[in-house]
Each structure stands twice: as C-alpha cells, then as structure tokens.
Amino acid sequence: MNIKELGGEFKLIERITGRKISDKAVIKAAGDDCAVLEYTGNKCLLVTTDMLVAGDHFSLEWFTPEQIGMKVMESSVSDIIAMAGKPKYAFISMCLADNTTVEFIDAVYKGLYASAKKHDVLIIGGDTTHGKNIVFNAAILGEADKTLLSLRSGAGEKNLICVTGTLGGSKAGLSLLQAGRKGHTKGHLEPKARASAEAVIIGKYCNAMIDVSDGLASEVEHICEQSNKGAEIYYDKIPISANTAESAKKLGQNARDFALYGGEDFELVFTVAENNIGKLKKEFSDFSVVGKILAKERGIYLLRKNKKSRLKKGFEHFNT
Amino acid sequence: MNIKELGGEFKLIERITGRKISDKAVIKAAGDDCAVLEYTGNKCLLVTTDMLVAGDHFSLEWFTPEQIGMKVMESSVSDIIAMAGKPKYAFISMCLADNTTVEFIDAVYKGLYASAKKHDVLIIGGDTTHGKNIVFNAAILGEADKTLLSLRSGAGEKNLICVTGTLGGSKAGLSLLQAGRKGHTKGHLEPKARASAEAVIIGKYCNAMIDVSDGLASEVEHICEQSNKGAEIYYDKIPISANTAESAKKLGQNARDFALYGGEDFELVFTVAENNIGKLKKEFSDFSVVGKILAKERGIYLLRKNKKSRLKKGFEHFNT
C-alpha cells in the first residue's frame, strides 16, 4: 500500500504515533505543533522537529542559500510560537550533496543565524552528513508558561476563529515562480514566523492556537479534530494583502484559495471567546476574525454570502 | 570550495558552530556527543540530533526496514549514553520517497519501537515529508546527573583509555556485504548502543567519554582535541571478537584496522585514572584498556611491539 492509498501524510502520522504514552512528564505527545514536557516550576518544555527537503520545501533554483536558512529557522520556531512559547535552542542536521560548496553552507548558516538572532534562539548542536539530495532538519527547544500554553485541543463552541496578519502570500509567491512570472515572491521565499511576544499576548486570551503550515482550511480542521468541534469560516473575511490580491489577479487565480489551501504563511490561527476579543485587541490588534467554532455535528464549512460550501484539502505531502 | 577541500566534515562543523554562546543555561554546546543544558536541580538536559541517509548510513538492499529503524534509534541514543546519560524522548523526522510503502514504514517503526523500548525511550514527536531519497533524523532528549556527566574534554594525563565490548564488528559486516560474502554481518546490520545503566557506572569513575561512531582512532582524537592532550593506543590490546577476526581473515583484511577506522560500533571509549580501574572493574568489567592519555606535545600515535606509528583517518563523510 502506498501512503496516498492510506489517506496521506496525516493518516500516516496517526498510524505510527497511535501508541499510548504513560509518562507523567509528557503533557502532550504527537498531535500538536510541539511535544510538551514538564520542565521547571510553572514552565513547560516544548520540542518540535521539522524536516525541509530541496525540491519540496524549497527550490534551489528560486531560493538563495540565505533564504533557505531563514525558511528552515522560521518554519521551525513557528511551531514553538504557536503554543504561546518562546523558542530557545536549535539543533540543525544537514544532508548535503557531494557538490555542495562551503560557500553555499556559509550562506545557509548566515540565514539561519539571522533568523535565530531575530527570535533570540541559539544554535547549539546539529549533525552533518551527505546524500543525493539536500535535506535540513531543525529540532527546536522552547519553553512556555503552563498557564499560557495553547494547544490545538482547547477550542470551545462559539469561540471566534482569528488569524494574525494576512494569508496566502506564500502560495501566491510560489504560483508566480512556478508560472515564471515576476512580482511579489517574498511571501514564498522569505516567510516570517510571528514574534513569540505576540503569541504570548494571544496566549493570555485564546483557547487554542496553531500556525499556518498547510493552509487555513487544514489548520481549522486540525483544531476542530483535536477539540472535537465543528466550524464555519467566513470566506470574505479571510485577510489578504494587496500584494497577494495583485498576484492572484495577475495569475487569474483566487487569493482566498491561496489562503485556505496554500500554507507556509506561518501566521497564527487561534480561537477566542467573544468576550475576550476586546481585551486582546487592546494589547495586540494585527488579527482578523475569520470564523466561529461550532458543535461537532455541524461539521466544518465555508460560508460565503450565506451559502455554505465544503472545504477542499490543504497541502499534503504524498497527496500532491 | 568543496567540503573535502575545506578538510572534511569536522572542519565544516568547526566553521559553522564557531560562534560563542553566552547563555548560562548552556553547559556545553556543539563539540561533544550532545548539547548539555541546565535542567532541574542536579540534573542536566542532554540533546542530540542524528541524520541517517539511505545509501550512506544504511543500504536499502542489505538492511531490512526493521533493522533501519533499530539503527536510527541505537545510533542516536548512543550519544546520550556516551555522556553517562539516560535517553528519554525521541523525535523522528522522515523524508520518504514517492514509492515508499506503508508496510516499509510500519516495519521501520517496529524497529524504532523495539529499540526505544529496550532503552526505555518514548517516541513523542516527529515530522513526515517526502523527497528523492529516504532520510531519517532522530532528535533525542535525555538527562544526566551533573556529577556523572562525562564530556570529551575531561581526560587527564596518564589516564588509561578504555573501550567497552569489542570493536570493528560493524566495519567487518559492511566489508563482507560489500564483497558479496556471507558471514557475521549483524555487527553492521544491527549495531547496539550500550545500556545507559552501564554508562552511569562508568560515569562514576571516568574523566571523559565518547561513543564509537567513526572508529577508535577518530574518537581518541576527539577526546585529545577537547582535552588538549596526546595519547598512545596499544594496537595489540584493541579488543576484537572471534567473529570479527574470522571475517577479517576471510576478507584478507586487518580486524584492528576495522576497529580503528571503521566506526559505528557504538561501544564506549572512556578515560580513567589508573587507581580507579580496580573500583570500576568491581561494578562493570566488560571493557579493555587500550591506551594512555599523554601530554599534548607527545602527539597521538599507535604503539605496536614498541614501534610507534601514526593514526590514519577514521570514517568521514565527504572524504570518502
């Protein structure tokens, strides 16, 4: 059986991580952005690991080595930040090809260090090996206040679904590059994780949080699955930047589809009780309300001009 | 410049990890088997990350998927054990090829879980992606008593250099497989890390410790470099199993060369003050004395029938 027949990446993860963990120090194992472990006092230890592959997560043709390094770091710290955590230590493994130059690696590390510095992360370990294809793995350790820790599983009925910034910029940039068109490609080549300080503020008010790795549709589905809920997404409220709108128009495509099914924007999706929205806004305002959590029986759907429609699938490895 | 011209894998690691770390919680960054962080009370947190690549660390032709899983886990926990630590949590990233079957992954995980169970390790996270080549990355968290923590940098002059078990079995098995010969190949296909409990005993008496990843010669060089010392290795004392001796004879090769330059035996190399050897032996006896730490000026050399000779280089990616 191939992985596509099994039902794709997420079914595979369910299959291999289905074992019960009975260790009191493990607060949360697989199934969220990070694993969560007991740490010191009221802090928990967050651990995430992300693998990025040449030709899949980054193109050696389109990305500068520095941009590759930044993307490796931004995409990985984003998982810690999505738990309302503070990323602290990074461990970078690299599989390099025989023809990889020292200059290439220097430039990748320049990007890694630049992004690490921005997020106040120290690179303190790793592994170097070689193979046919360039692959990076970043393991990141971070910490979070137990009281702020924002799992995917905490969404409550009638919570509002919010997203930071704007969405779809990564997919818009990728689509331009794939079409050989010029334009706003930085959303794809230089995606940025939100600042930990922002996520910590959100963590004070939200019940669930996740970062946008695979598209808004997929992230809302993850929250609903872990929280045992349904949801409606307000299609016209999905925030799109002027650049992304311009790119979509240029390509004859739909910017909101980029947002829903594109992924890799590394913005945050979170759910907040309605009476907390005002309080949050006083401290942090760069977010939009894009939907509402419903009872599980209601399912998950898009709402556009009072018309319901089903979600398509977001980006999945093995299903593309 | 290619990596070989730079001087290989270890020179590259020096180049990219040369930055000074000024964080009091970081006891040891790159340059040892693990990074070491402050943890709770008298425990420190150990973190290691290892990448294993199809065609490089394991052959899809020779290894069963279960053996691949075991090797990923054994080689990674070995780095924690080599610090006199206890491995606790594993995070497995996988890059799978388009034609990788679910059955293959099930069997890899069977091996991962079998080895994890033996070492009392929980697999609590990971990442799954796809690319041209199969790659695994294991990030392992563990802990060690601060008083037992065994870095590479602690070797003292006149310390005896010891190794657990026997060496060269992995290289002997690989050489048989490469030559298309039958025989004792399990040393290569199923290498085993030592038990953490053994390393904890050794940790009470040793001043420095490392595991055999790249061959005895390379490991002694690492200890000497980090400890700013020299060393002599007693060629005839290097412990070889009967199986490895038989394989070497069959291949017309030298079993002690397998031990010195082969690697991946995951035995432990450690240095002990002479007056502690007897005490250690009472608690743990499966080791041999194979050399002595010297002043740095004496250099590092092999001693065979009172004749000194230089060490060759151990296994290095990019230099083969």
Side-chain angles (χ1 to χ4, degrees):
Chain A
M1 180 165 54
N2 69 34
I3 299 162
K4 196 170 171 175
E5 285 165 328
L6 177 70
E9 182 185 354
F10 298 120
K11 287 286 172 200
L12 177 67
I13 294 171
E14 267 178 38
R15 184 180 176 106
I16 55 187
T17 60
R19 303 197 176 196
K20 205 173 159 241
I21 304 288
S22 52
D23 178 327
K24 281 182 189 166
V26 180
I27 299 170
K28 179 83 198 171
D32 217 299
D33 294 288
C34 302
V36 186
L37 297 166
E38 289 287 347
Y39 199 27
T40 52
N42 69 333
K43 298 266 186 200
C44 47
L45 183 68
L46 305 175
V47 189
T48 181
T49 179
D50 275 278
M51 192 175 261
L52 288 90
V53 180
D56 203 88
H57 298 84
F58 56 86
S59 156
L60 292 169
E61 192 186 332
W62 299 329
F63 281 69
T64 67
E66 203 173 333
Q67 286 171 329
I68 294 170
M70 287 194 288
K71 183 168 177 187
V72 168
M73 188 60 73
E74 295 289 330
S75 65
S76 306
V77 298
S78 182
D79 285 323
I80 301 279
I81 291 164
M83 310 288 270
K86 155 107 205 56
K88 298 197 70 171
Y89 305 111
F91 301 82
I92 308 294
S93 304
M94 305 189 282
C95 174
L96 303 169
D98 283 332
N99 61 357
T100 305
T101 65
V102 174
E103 290 76 14
F104 174 88
I105 302 163
D106 280 346
V108 168
Y109 262 79
K110 196 176 166 196
L112 281 166
Y113 277 117
S115 175
K117 190 178 175 188
K118 195 182 82 180
H119 291 287
D120 201 15
V121 164
L122 295 172
I123 300 172
I124 60 168
D127 190 23
T128 307
T129 185
H130 89 301
K132 286 180 212 150
N133 200 12
I134 296 182
V135 179
F136 293 95
N137 190 85
I140 314 274
L141 265 62
E143 60 181 37
D145 272 15
K146 277 186 191 163
T147 52
L148 297 182
L149 183 69
S150 299
L151 301 177
R152 298 176 180 182
S153 56
E157 224 177 301
K158 296 185 187 165
N159 277 187
L160 298 179
I161 302 168
C162 308
V163 300
T164 58
T166 59
L167 299 181
S170 175
K171 178 70 174 178
L174 175 62
S175 301
L176 285 172
L177 289 162
Q178 284 171 332
R181 306 283 294 268
K182 288 202 188 312
H184 305 291
T185 54
K186 278 208 170 174
H188 180 67
L189 298 174
E190 298 182 12
K192 302 270 186 280
R194 300 298 305 202
S196 166
E198 296 172 331
V200 167
I201 295 172
I202 296 169
K204 289 199 285 179
Y205 302 105
C206 77
N207 299 319
M209 185 147 57
I210 189 171
D211 72 327
V212 180
S213 300
D214 305 308
L216 177 62
S218 176
E219 314 316 342
V220 170
E221 279 172 350
H222 286 314
I223 286 178
C224 288
E225 196 182 311
Q226 294 277 323
S227 300
N228 211 25
K229 294 286 180 294
E232 56 186 16
I233 300 175
Y234 311 139
Y235 186 87
D236 294 316
K237 302 273 172 114
I238 299 169
I240 304 293
S241 72
N243 286 349
T244 298
E246 185 191 318
S247 304
K249 200 174 168 189
K250 192 186 275 187
L251 292 159
Q253 293 191 52
N254 188 315
R256 293 215 161 80
D257 277 358
F258 289 162
L260 282 162
Y261 310 116
E264 298 204 322
D265 290 313
F266 306 125
E267 296 290 344
L268 300 169
V269 178
F270 55 97
T271 75
V272 183
E274 199 161 1
N275 63 357
N276 272 328
I277 288 279
K279 293 176 211 162
L280 171 57
K281 257 193 189 144
K282 279 184 195 156
E283 295 187 57
F284 173 75
S285 62
D286 184 18
F287 70 92
S288 314
V289 174
V290 298
K292 192 185 277 183
I293 297 295
L294 306 174
K296 187 183 180 159
E297 305 72 56
R298 307 266 306 267
I300 307 173
Y301 56 85
L302 272 179
L303 202 58
R304 186 179 187 183
K305 295 180 180 121
N306 290 321
K307 224 179 120 184
K308 290 181 189 178
S309 65
R310 284 194 167 192
L311 293 172
K312 290 182 267 183
K313 284 282 161 202
F315 180 78
E316 259 203 35
H317 300 286
F318 308 108
N319 276 359
T320 49
Chain B
M1 178 166 52
N2 69 34
I3 299 162
K4 195 171 171 176
E5 286 165 328
L6 177 69
E9 180 185 357
F10 299 119
K11 286 287 172 199
L12 178 66
I13 294 170
E14 265 177 42
R15 184 179 176 105
I16 57 188
T17 61
R19 302 197 177 197
K20 204 173 162 241
I21 304 289
S22 52
D23 178 328
K24 280 181 189 167
V26 179
I27 299 170
K28 178 84 200 173
D32 216 299
D33 293 288
C34 302
V36 185
L37 298 166
E38 289 287 347
Y39 200 26
T40 52
N42 69 333
K43 298 267 186 197
C44 48
L45 182 68
L46 306 175
V47 189
T48 179
T49 181
D50 274 280
M51 192 174 260
L52 288 91
V53 180
D56 202 88
H57 298 85
F58 56 87
S59 156
L60 292 167
E61 192 187 333
W62 299 329
F63 280 70
T64 66
E66 203 173 331
Q67 286 171 330
I68 294 170
M70 287 193 289
K71 183 169 177 186
V72 169
M73 188 61 72
E74 296 289 331
S75 65
S76 305
V77 298
S78 182
D79 286 322
I80 300 280
I81 291 165
M83 309 287 271
K86 157 107 204 52
K88 298 198 72 174
Y89 305 111
F91 301 81
I92 308 294
S93 304
M94 304 189 283
C95 174
L96 303 170
D98 283 330
N99 62 356
T100 305
T101 65
V102 174
E103 291 75 15
F104 173 88
I105 301 162
D106 280 346
V108 168
Y109 262 78
K110 195 175 167 198
L112 281 167
Y113 276 117
S115 174
K117 189 178 175 188
K118 194 182 82 180
H119 291 286
D120 201 15
V121 164
L122 295 172
I123 300 172
I124 59 167
D127 191 22
T128 307
T129 187
H130 89 300
K132 287 181 212 148
N133 199 13
I134 296 183
V135 179
F136 292 94
N137 190 84
I140 314 274
L141 264 64
E143 59 181 39
D145 272 15
K146 277 186 192 166
T147 51
L148 297 181
L149 183 69
S150 299
L151 302 176
R152 297 176 179 181
S153 55
E157 221 176 303
K158 294 184 187 167
N159 276 187
L160 298 179
I161 301 168
C162 307
V163 300
T164 58
T166 60
L167 299 179
S170 175
K171 179 71 175 177
L174 174 63
S175 301
L176 285 172
L177 289 161
Q178 284 172 332
R181 305 283 294 269
K182 288 200 187 314
H184 305 292
T185 55
K186 279 207 170 174
H188 180 66
L189 299 174
E190 299 183 12
K192 301 270 186 280
R194 300 300 301 203
S196 166
E198 295 172 331
V200 168
I201 294 171
I202 296 169
K204 290 198 285 178
Y205 302 104
C206 77
N207 298 321
M209 184 147 59
I210 188 170
D211 73 327
V212 180
S213 300
D214 305 308
L216 177 62
S218 177
E219 313 318 340
V220 170
E221 279 172 351
H222 286 315
I223 286 178
C224 288
E225 196 181 314
Q226 294 277 323
S227 301
N228 211 24
K229 294 286 180 294
E232 58 186 14
I233 299 175
Y234 311 139
Y235 186 87
D236 295 314
K237 300 276 173 115
I238 298 170
I240 304 294
S241 73
N243 285 350
T244 298
E246 186 191 318
S247 303
K249 199 173 168 189
K250 194 187 271 186
L251 291 159
Q253 293 190 51
N254 189 317
R256 293 214 160 80
D257 277 357
F258 290 162
L260 282 162
Y261 311 115
E264 297 204 322
D265 290 313
F266 306 125
E267 296 290 344
L268 300 169
V269 178
F270 54 96
T271 74
V272 184
E274 197 160 3
N275 62 354
N276 272 327
I277 289 277
K279 296 176 209 160
L280 171 58
K281 258 195 187 141
K282 280 184 193 159
E283 295 187 58
F284 173 76
S285 62
D286 185 18
F287 71 92
S288 313
V289 174
V290 298
K292 191 184 277 184
I293 297 295
L294 306 175
K296 189 182 179 165
E297 305 73 54
R298 307 267 307 266
I300 307 173
Y301 56 84
L302 272 177
L303 202 57
R304 187 179 186 184
K305 295 180 182 122
N306 290 321
K307 222 180 124 184
K308 290 182 190 178
S309 65
R310 283 192 168 197
L311 292 173
K312 289 181 268 182
K313 283 281 161 201
F315 179 78
E316 259 203 36
H317 300 287
F318 309 106
N319 276 357
T320 50

